[in-house]
Amino acid sequence: MGKKEKKEKAKERREKRLQDIQLLRSIPYSDQQRWWSKETIAVVTGGNRGIGFEICRQFATHGLTVILTSRDATAGSESIRVLQEGGLDVVYHPLDIVDGSSINNFVEWLQENYGGLDILVNNAGVNFNLGSDNSVENARKVIETNYYGTKNITEALIPLMKPSIVGARIVNVSSRLGRLNGRRNRISNVALREQLSDVECLSEELIDRTLSSFLQQVEDGSWTSGGWPQIYTDYSVSKLAVNAYTRLTARKLSERPEDQKIYINCCCPGWVKTALTGFAGNNTVEEGADTGVWLALLHDQTFMGSFFAERREINF
């Protein structure tokens, strides 16, 4: 089979998967599947537009209490207005995940008003490259937001996650671009790849060292020969770190007692038509939000530290 035929076959399989998922989305959850209620609190970061907005909409449609957060209060309030006009009950609170005082204010407000949360979707993120661009001019901001921001809000909210029989859930919106062992766009340093692949050896120090090394090479201009991902390099490295952090945190959380379980996983929404991609993606926002919502609402949750796309588990 030639390259063109393989590509066509892969496209057909993908379209079939998306059709199957669309059908599944149209089937309402049964009473047995619905472990949640109006008392279930879902927090979504970066919820004012794109995938985050759609995740909020779908959660609210399913009857959860949704707290939409965003850095821009004006944009957040406008998003809430749109959802409320559609008959959905969604609450807004400002949250800048790279600002420690903003995180502290949000944590205090959440505890005082809701006593905690059941679901956290880490969707907030930035990307400054479009099309064939691959600038690293904003690499530090990308790393600080996509990785350190995600890590900091997660660490701040874990103590507030409510104990339950079904377990609390954390979903990190990530990307296949950050895969360690993908056929394309992976880091070429085999030793580093093996270290990051070994969940027992994973540590925050290793992730930090990897990011520091990348940013140092960005500073001195040697990053192009450093063996980093070739597509959207800064974004890909940031998501590689998110994936590693998901697996590391899963290892730590797995030690919690049965009635205090917190399930953390990550998902790739695909190439979605949003502002982050310059609206150049293949998937709709409904398709992009689907796996994250599905993962957060699974009744018999057993996945821990796994990576998903199109409702199926994929390799890191």
Side-chain angles (χ1 to χ4, degrees):
M1 188 184 293
K3 193 174 181 181
K4 186 178 179 182
E5 285 124 332
K6 284 182 180 178
K7 202 170 181 180
E8 285 297 321
K9 287 287 183 185
K11 184 180 177 183
E12 286 174 16
R13 287 195 300 271
R14 179 182 167 278
E15 288 176 350
K16 176 68 166 59
R17 281 200 305 274
L18 292 177
Q19 287 171 4
D20 291 344
I21 291 168
Q22 188 173 13
L23 176 61
L24 289 170
R25 266 209 321 271
S26 69
I27 301 170
Y29 283 92
S30 68
D31 290 341
Q32 288 76 23
Q33 292 172 314
R34 292 174 65 91
W35 58 267
W36 63 89
S37 69
K38 193 65 180 170
E39 304 304 310
T40 304
I41 310 300
V43 172
V44 181
T45 68
N48 61 295
R49 64 180 186 176
I51 295 167
F53 178 85
E54 178 60 21
I55 289 173
C56 289
R57 190 192 69 78
Q58 291 188 26
F59 277 157
T61 300
H62 288 309
L64 289 78
T65 292
V66 182
I67 300 171
L68 182 158
T69 74
S70 71
R71 181 181 52 193
D72 185 333
T74 302
S77 299
E78 175 62 19
S79 299
I80 289 293
R81 185 187 65 76
V82 171
L83 291 169
Q84 289 176 343
E85 284 180 356
L88 298 174
D89 186 12
V90 181
V91 178
Y92 175 72
H93 196 281
L95 173 63
D96 184 348
I97 63 171
V98 298
D99 183 335
S101 61
S102 178
I103 290 175
N104 291 338
N105 289 340
F106 177 71
V107 168
E108 289 175 13
W109 173 85
L110 182 65
Q111 183 151 32
E112 184 178 332
N113 288 274
Y114 295 94
L117 72 162
D118 302 276
I119 296 170
L120 169 62
V121 178
N122 284 311
N123 170 74
V126 294
N127 170 46
F128 294 93
N129 287 306
L130 297 173
S132 59
D133 296 343
N134 193 27
S135 167
V136 292
E137 182 182 349
N138 295 291
R140 190 166 295 277
K141 185 172 185 179
V142 171
I143 298 293
E144 286 177 354
T145 304
N146 296 358
Y147 172 64
Y148 287 106
T150 294
K151 173 187 167 186
N152 291 341
I153 188 61
T154 301
E155 302 286 327
L157 289 178
I158 281 176
L160 269 65
M161 302 205 84
K162 298 178 180 180
S164 70
I165 296 170
V166 296
R169 288 97 192 279
I170 301 172
V171 177
N172 292 329
V173 178
S174 189
S175 172
R176 285 186 181 96
L177 289 174
R179 291 175 73 183
L180 284 169
N181 296 301
R183 283 175 293 179
R184 298 183 302 158
N185 211 46
R186 64 183 180 183
I187 54 176
S188 61
N189 185 327
V190 176
L192 178 57
R193 230 173 36 230
E194 288 177 351
Q195 283 181 298
L196 290 167
S197 296
D198 186 348
V199 71
E200 296 305 318
C201 294
L202 260 182
S203 65
E204 288 186 30
E205 291 75 20
L206 174 59
I207 300 171
D208 287 343
R209 281 200 310 272
T210 302
L211 296 177
S212 295
S213 175
F214 169 65
L215 291 173
Q216 180 57 51
Q217 290 182 29
V218 168
E219 290 291 327
D220 63 30
S222 64
W223 67 275
T224 52
S225 57
W228 303 104
Q230 300 82 46
I231 303 169
Y232 295 174
T233 302
D234 53 5
Y235 181 81
S236 298
V237 170
S238 74
K239 292 303 186 179
L240 181 152
V242 168
N243 291 349
Y245 174 73
T246 302
R247 293 160 64 230
L248 173 62
T249 307
R251 191 183 77 201
K252 294 176 180 177
L253 293 176
S254 66
E255 299 168 1
R256 293 172 71 95
E258 202 61 39
D259 61 345
Q260 295 178 34
K261 288 292 186 189
I262 300 174
Y263 297 95
I264 182 169
N265 296 285
C266 54
C267 67
C268 175
W271 197 239
V272 183
K273 296 171 186 173
T274 65
L276 198 74
T277 65
F279 299 95
N282 299 318
N283 294 356
T284 65
V285 287
E286 291 84 4
E287 290 167 340
D290 176 77
T291 297
V293 172
W294 167 79
L295 196 50
L297 297 183
L298 273 177
H299 179 265
D300 297 319
Q301 179 63 278
T302 57
F303 299 112
M304 187 71 144
S306 298
F307 193 14
F308 292 85
E310 296 161 2
R311 294 199 184 194
R312 61 177 188 163
E313 189 172 359
I314 60 175
N315 295 325
F316 280 98

